[in-house]
Amino acid sequence: MVSGTANVKVRFAETDAMGVVYHANYLPWFECARLDLIEGVGLSYERLIEEGFHLPVVEVHVEYKHPARFGDEVEIRACIKSKPSVKMKVEYEARANGKLLVTGYTTHVFVNLHGAPVKPPREWTEKLSGKFAKC
Amino acid sequence: MVSGTANVKVRFAETDAMGVVYHANYLPWFECARLDLIEGVGLSYERLIEEGFHLPVVEVHVEYKHPARFGDEVEIRACIKSKPSVKMKVEYEARANGKLLVTGYTTHVFVNLHGAPVKPPREWTEKLSGKFAKC
Amino acid sequence: MVSGTANVKVRFAETDAMGVVYHANYLPWFECARLDLIEGVGLSYERLIEEGFHLPVVEVHVEYKHPARFGDEVEIRACIKSKPSVKMKVEYEARANGKLLVTGYTTHVFVNLHGAPVKPPREWTEKLSGKFAKC
Amino acid sequence: MVSGTANVKVRFAETDAMGVVYHANYLPWFECARLDLIEGVGLSYERLIEEGFHLPVVEVHVEYKHPARFGDEVEIRACIKSKPSVKMKVEYEARANGKLLVTGYTTHVFVNLHGAPVKPPREWTEKLSGKFAKC
């Protein structure tokens, strides 16, 4: 199973005047879990960049079910369910206090130094494939 | 036409180590344009809250076409294309240097003080209806 | 010794186009370490607020020695060196990779519900006194 | 007089669960006013970097007098009161609704590509000197 997790404690800076986590602030948490997934299978963003690739975010989707509040311990789970080609999709769930807070996904595109979409390095397709269980 | 705009100059704080605007930072800009739309038709969030409503974000979607960079002058346009009921959908486009940077939408739900979804105040349906031209 | 710590892994969202952590982003980290200090001696912000107090930041000072970068594991240490009265001063050091990154302090004032400066609750002076070793 | 200004409308993302602007969020505003000062005298960060210099923040100080809230129109004024040498100090005041909200300063150091402190380019000392009136 290709998944990763991040555990964050909600910072006061991440709340807004409604008393809950500002909606944009889930995206950096998603990124923490995505990084854990990438590193967890032995891949590395630094190496990807050294090899002449970039992997920008081209799409973000989030659905908000329950708010998180200051001090909450939030677990974010990232999961890749299909083998990446030019595009890579990562899905997320964030939970706290036994509740599902948000779900979402991000889509990324492998590009070369000229910004043109390209196939990912073999290492990325190999390490992110063949074992897509339910996250 | 029910639309609003915001003009922002990219702050250094909004960039990331890729040299471009961090993807989450478009959401506060969307909110600036949404606020301009709301205030532009004579509505007010403060009044909405005083009347016992809240209008949380329940869904966010963004597609990234071109990056913005430090110092860029970005125009964000918010637009409502269908009459709000319990849900209100707002669509966005951000442009700079003659390029379309991102498109996206947010969905909001009118809730009462107990958090239950409710119909919006009459003022909101009236002022946000009847004139949905192409934004 | 009245001290607390926080350990953060630098998020991509916290970097800027210079490739390092944006200078404002150390302040939320200071807050994490300050919270650890407060909770570590058995105090609670929630209880303080319930008892009719607030404890706003009235002064911030930071000196930057070395930059932190994406992925760095940063340890922030917060420390109170003198018994709080109306004011409470907290000092900080952040380190990564064996280097001192930044030092700083924040000053806070106990205020009542009318915003007037007041002496802290007895619990706060007791639990934050009598044992001010070198942090 | 060497000064610059920035006008910002407080974004909801900049507030925290106390209902006011989170204290770290004044620093990006300071930067907007500093940029206006720099550009206003005909200087350019881009050119400085092309010429092999960097100008990192090495010190930040802020004093908080009154909070700003969502929607407030804040004017930030940046001001240089003494001729820069290796160090450059910029002072700030932020005001809204006729009130002084915060005062502060930042100190910057001119460094070369190796990170060693150096004297600023002649253009910078010339354009930032000789006329230090009260801001």
Side-chain angles (χ1 to χ4, degrees):
Chain A
M1 187 169 61
V2 185
S3 68
T5 56
N7 291 280
V8 301
K9 188 173 180 179
V10 175
R11 302 173 183 177
F12 203 68
E14 293 169 329
T15 61
D16 66 24
M18 294 297 296
V20 300
V21 170
Y22 184 71
H23 64 280
N25 293 336
Y26 290 86
L27 296 179
W29 300 351
F30 283 3
E31 190 154 54
C32 293
R34 185 165 67 243
L35 182 64
D36 183 68
L37 183 158
I38 296 300
E39 294 184 341
V41 295
L43 293 168
S44 154
Y45 277 117
E46 286 74 7
R47 213 156 59 229
L48 186 71
I49 288 169
E50 283 166 18
E51 291 169 0
F53 294 87
H54 278 306
L55 189 54
V57 178
V58 294
E59 189 182 14
V60 155
H61 187 84
V62 192
E63 297 184 27
Y64 302 87
K65 318 288 189 189
H66 288 285
R69 291 170 198 281
F70 173 55
D72 282 352
E73 308 266 3
V74 182
E75 184 185 69
I76 305 97
R77 191 175 183 85
C79 175
I80 292 184
K81 294 183 179 168
S82 56
K83 187 175 170 173
S85 60
V86 174
K87 287 197 177 184
M88 179 178 85
K89 183 179 181 184
V90 188
E91 300 178 47
Y92 309 90
E93 288 187 353
R95 293 172 183 279
N97 310 315
K99 276 188 183 165
L100 180 61
L101 304 179
V102 310
T103 60
Y105 65 84
T106 55
T107 311
H108 306 257
V109 170
F110 292 90
V111 297
N112 62 20
L113 292 181
H114 307 292
V118 291
K119 287 197 181 163
R122 180 187 297 265
E123 189 191 18
W124 280 64
T125 44
E126 282 177 2
K127 291 191 170 164
L128 294 173
S129 70
K131 36 184 178 177
F132 297 97
K134 193 166 183 330
C135 291
Chain B
M1 187 167 63
V2 185
S3 68
T5 55
N7 291 281
V8 301
K9 187 173 181 179
V10 174
R11 302 174 183 176
F12 202 68
E14 293 170 329
T15 62
D16 66 25
M18 293 297 296
V20 299
V21 170
Y22 184 71
H23 64 280
N25 293 336
Y26 290 87
L27 296 179
W29 299 352
F30 282 4
E31 190 155 54
C32 293
R34 185 166 67 243
L35 182 64
D36 184 67
L37 183 158
I38 296 300
E39 294 184 343
V41 295
L43 293 169
S44 153
Y45 276 118
E46 286 75 7
R47 214 158 54 229
L48 187 71
I49 289 169
E50 283 167 18
E51 291 169 0
F53 294 87
H54 279 306
L55 188 55
V57 178
V58 294
E59 190 182 12
V60 154
H61 187 85
V62 192
E63 297 185 27
Y64 302 86
K65 319 287 189 188
H66 288 285
R69 292 171 198 281
F70 173 56
D72 282 353
E73 308 266 4
V74 182
E75 185 185 69
I76 305 98
R77 191 174 183 85
C79 174
I80 292 183
K81 294 183 178 168
S82 56
K83 187 175 169 173
S85 59
V86 173
K87 288 196 176 185
M88 179 178 86
K89 183 180 181 184
V90 188
E91 299 178 48
Y92 309 89
E93 289 187 353
R95 293 172 184 278
N97 309 315
K99 275 188 183 164
L100 180 62
L101 305 179
V102 309
T103 59
Y105 65 84
T106 54
T107 311
H108 306 257
V109 170
F110 291 90
V111 297
N112 63 18
L113 292 180
H114 306 291
V118 291
K119 287 196 181 162
R122 179 187 297 264
E123 188 191 16
W124 280 65
T125 44
E126 283 177 1
K127 291 190 171 163
L128 294 173
S129 70
K131 37 186 177 177
F132 297 97
K134 195 168 183 327
C135 290
Chain C
M1 187 167 62
V2 185
S3 67
T5 56
N7 291 280
V8 300
K9 187 172 180 179
V10 175
R11 301 174 184 176
F12 202 68
E14 293 170 329
T15 61
D16 66 24
M18 294 297 295
V20 300
V21 170
Y22 185 71
H23 65 280
N25 293 336
Y26 290 87
L27 296 179
W29 299 352
F30 283 4
E31 190 154 56
C32 292
R34 184 166 68 243
L35 181 65
D36 183 68
L37 183 158
I38 296 300
E39 294 184 342
V41 295
L43 293 168
S44 152
Y45 275 118
E46 286 76 6
R47 215 157 55 228
L48 186 72
I49 288 169
E50 283 167 17
E51 291 169 0
F53 293 87
H54 280 305
L55 187 55
V57 178
V58 294
E59 189 182 12
V60 155
H61 187 86
V62 192
E63 297 185 26
Y64 302 86
K65 318 289 188 189
H66 287 285
R69 291 171 199 280
F70 173 55
D72 282 353
E73 307 266 3
V74 182
E75 185 185 70
I76 305 99
R77 192 176 182 84
C79 175
I80 292 183
K81 294 183 177 168
S82 57
K83 187 175 169 173
S85 59
V86 173
K87 287 196 177 186
M88 180 179 86
K89 183 180 181 182
V90 187
E91 299 178 47
Y92 309 90
E93 288 187 354
R95 293 172 183 277
N97 310 314
K99 276 188 182 165
L100 180 61
L101 304 179
V102 310
T103 60
Y105 65 83
T106 54
T107 310
H108 306 256
V109 169
F110 292 89
V111 297
N112 61 21
L113 292 181
H114 306 291
V118 290
K119 287 195 180 163
R122 179 187 296 264
E123 189 190 16
W124 280 65
T125 43
E126 282 177 3
K127 291 190 169 163
L128 294 172
S129 70
K131 38 185 178 176
F132 297 97
K134 194 167 183 329
C135 291
Chain D
M1 187 168 60
V2 185
S3 68
T5 56
N7 291 281
V8 300
K9 187 173 180 179
V10 175
R11 301 174 183 176
F12 202 69
E14 293 169 329
T15 61
D16 66 24
M18 294 297 295
V20 300
V21 170
Y22 185 71
H23 64 280
N25 292 337
Y26 290 87
L27 296 178
W29 299 352
F30 283 4
E31 190 155 55
C32 293
R34 184 165 69 244
L35 181 65
D36 183 68
L37 183 158
I38 295 301
E39 294 184 342
V41 295
L43 293 168
S44 154
Y45 275 119
E46 286 76 6
R47 213 157 57 229
L48 186 71
I49 288 169
E50 283 167 17
E51 291 169 359
F53 293 87
H54 279 306
L55 187 55
V57 178
V58 295
E59 189 183 13
V60 155
H61 187 85
V62 192
E63 297 184 28
Y64 302 86
K65 318 288 188 189
H66 288 284
R69 292 171 199 280
F70 173 55
D72 282 353
E73 308 267 3
V74 181
E75 186 185 67
I76 305 97
R77 192 175 182 86
C79 175
I80 291 184
K81 294 183 177 168
S82 57
K83 187 175 170 173
S85 60
V86 174
K87 286 197 178 184
M88 179 178 85
K89 184 180 181 183
V90 188
E91 299 178 48
Y92 309 89
E93 287 187 353
R95 294 172 184 278
N97 310 315
K99 276 188 182 165
L100 180 61
L101 303 180
V102 310
T103 60
Y105 64 84
T106 54
T107 311
H108 306 257
V109 170
F110 291 90
V111 297
N112 62 20
L113 292 181
H114 307 291
V118 291
K119 286 195 181 164
R122 178 187 296 265
E123 188 191 18
W124 281 65
T125 44
E126 282 177 4
K127 290 191 170 164
L128 294 173
S129 69
K131 38 185 177 176
F132 297 98
K134 192 165 186 328
C135 292

